[in-house]
Amino acid sequence: ARGLDTRAGFTLSFGGIATLAQNLFLGAHIVNINQPVIHSLTGERIPTRLLAGMAYRPSEKLFVASEVEKDIEYDPTWKSGMEYVFVKKVALRTGFQLHPQAGFFGVGFNGRKLNLDYALQFSPLSGLSHQATATYQFKQP
């Protein structure tokens, strides 16, 4: 039986965020510009992705963002979402993506030292997926 091979490669990525207006932001990111080959026999390369997005914060309570992601080997994906802080330190999040289709819902709590987040994804291909994160900050920066 043959085991799993391990491959390594050096990648280069570049990105940035620009403030277009007080509450309007534009960002772009290119992942793996140099496209190194990770398997010399097959010519397999580490995937290259292009991302561009905009975000708008009309108030301290509401944040809206949209992004287009394009892997050079696949069709583009469009993602959009929003976060609403309905009670101090507690936020509701929702969003969707197209190609492949998926819907998202989440809730987060941001305390002084403890942050808790829960997310739910629904996709017709994979069904429901859950994710939870807990972060504790021992020292304040």
Side-chain angles (χ1 to χ4, degrees), residues 74-103:
Y74 300 101
D75 290 335
T77 299
W78 176 40
K79 305 171 187 176
S80 287
M82 64 183 275
E83 175 184 80
Y84 180 70
V85 179
F86 72 99
V87 175
K88 187 177 181 180
K89 300 184 180 190
V90 180
L92 288 177
R93 300 176 187 115
T94 188
F96 67 90
Q97 81 176 25
L98 299 178
H99 194 57
Q101 289 99 3

Side-chain angles (χ1 to χ4, degrees), residues 38-51:
I38 58 172
H39 196 283
S40 58
L41 296 176
T42 64
E44 181 182 3
R45 295 180 179 275
I46 297 174
T48 298
R49 295 185 348 256
L50 311 167
L51 300 97

Side-chain angles (χ1 to χ4, degrees), residues 109-117 132-138:
F109 168 79
N110 291 324
R112 200 169 62 93
K113 292 189 173 218
L114 178 67
N115 295 338
L116 302 171
D117 290 290
T133 305
T135 306
Y136 184 82
Q137 186 172 359
F138 290 98

Side-chain angles (χ1 to χ4, degrees), residues 20 24-27 52-56 63-68 79:
L20 301 179
L24 184 63
F25 310 93
L26 176 67
M54 289 191 83
Y56 179 57
F63 182 77
V64 181
S66 190
E67 169 186 275
V68 175
K79 305 171 187 176

